[in-house]
Each structure stands twice: as structure tokens, then as C-alpha cells.
Amino acid sequence: MADEFFVPVTVRGYETDVQGHLNQAVYLQYAEHARWELFGAAGIRQQDLQAAGIGPVVLETTIRYKRELRAGDKVEVTCSFEWGEGKTFRLTQVIRKVDGTVAAEVTAVGGFLDLTARRLITEPSQRIGSMATDPTKFGL
């Protein structure tokens, strides 16, 4: 099993709302940032996916807010893939303060779109695993 993957983020003042806590849309940006950082750590760049004719798509997202985040808070954003059968996979992400307090849990269902056929590819874990220099980042 791979070590937990996470990226550090500091909440910036301009990301907060009138209540002084992190705007709800920014949680999704943090999750997206962590996903792309995981791809990079596995050796896959956006242009590699484009050259292969595929692109990641999010089909469903759920955010569970646990604790508020305020400007200056330092967090870790995790990212792990859960591969099953079929064309989709599940992403599990946790946004937690560095003291371990969970601020939010993000779960998503995704797939990889064939950019020509405009359909999800089959066996996405095999395709991504073969492209990665470090497939363990994807739990493969």
C-alpha cells in the first residue's frame, strides 16, 4: 500500500467569505489541486494525458464540512484512488488542519474521457497505471 499522499495548503485571506471562513467553492479547488499534484508525483502531466487522448472527469462530488477554516490556517489535502470494476473510480480526500482536525471530507466519482469518442474509457486503472512512472501513488 502506498503512503498517504497529501499536499500542504495555507488558507489565503481572499479565499474567505463574509463570515471569515473558507468559501465553500474553494474546498473543491483544494481537492482539485491535490489531485493534479498526485498525478505529477506519479509522473503524469496534463500534456501526457492530452497526448494519450484522455482526460479526467468528475461525475459526482460530495463535500462534508466538519470544521471551519480561516485565513492563515495550514492544512493538508489528501488524495487516494479506489479502483473498482467498470469505467469509474472513487476518490477520497480529506482536508485537515496540521493538528489533525478534519475540516472537510471530499468524495468523488470520476472517470477518464476518451477525448475523440467523448466516452469513458474502460479499465481506467490499467491505462493510468501503464502511463505512471510511480503507479503506487494511485494505489496500483
Side-chain angles (χ1 to χ4, degrees):
M1 179 166 187
D3 292 333
E4 180 182 55
F5 181 85
F6 69 89
V7 294
V9 177
T10 300
V11 176
R12 295 163 287 256
Y14 62 82
E15 296 173 326
T16 60
D17 60 20
V18 71
Q19 288 88 9
H21 55 71
L22 187 63
N23 178 278
Q24 52 86 25
V26 179
Y27 287 85
L28 291 174
Q29 293 173 346
Y30 287 3
E32 180 81 1
H33 173 61
R35 291 193 291 267
W36 281 115
E37 288 295 307
L38 185 145
F39 272 88
I44 301 174
R45 303 168 301 160
Q46 285 184 340
Q47 56 263 45
D48 298 328
L49 292 168
Q50 290 170 336
I54 61 174
V57 292
V58 174
L59 303 170
E60 174 185 313
T61 304
T62 301
I63 305 172
R64 288 193 171 83
Y65 302 98
K66 302 288 191 172
R67 297 285 185 271
E68 69 179 352
L69 292 175
R70 297 169 113 14
D73 283 347
K74 296 186 182 319
V75 298
E76 299 171 340
V77 185
T78 71
C79 185
S80 65
F81 281 72
E82 299 170 28
W83 306 95
E85 302 297 320
K87 298 179 180 182
T88 63
F89 52 85
R90 181 174 286 289
L91 286 159
T92 302
Q93 298 183 262
V94 176
I95 301 172
R96 66 176 173 242
K97 294 181 181 183
V98 293
D99 70 3
T101 303
V102 174
E105 298 168 341
V106 181
T107 57
V109 175
F112 286 95
L113 187 68
D114 178 311
L115 298 177
T116 302
R118 308 309 285 179
R119 301 241 183 252
L120 293 178
I121 66 170
T122 58
E123 301 177 6
S125 63
Q126 290 181 7
R127 184 81 175 268
I128 293 304
S130 70
M131 292 178 67
T133 57
D134 185 359
T136 65
K137 298 292 186 199
F138 293 106
L140 300 172

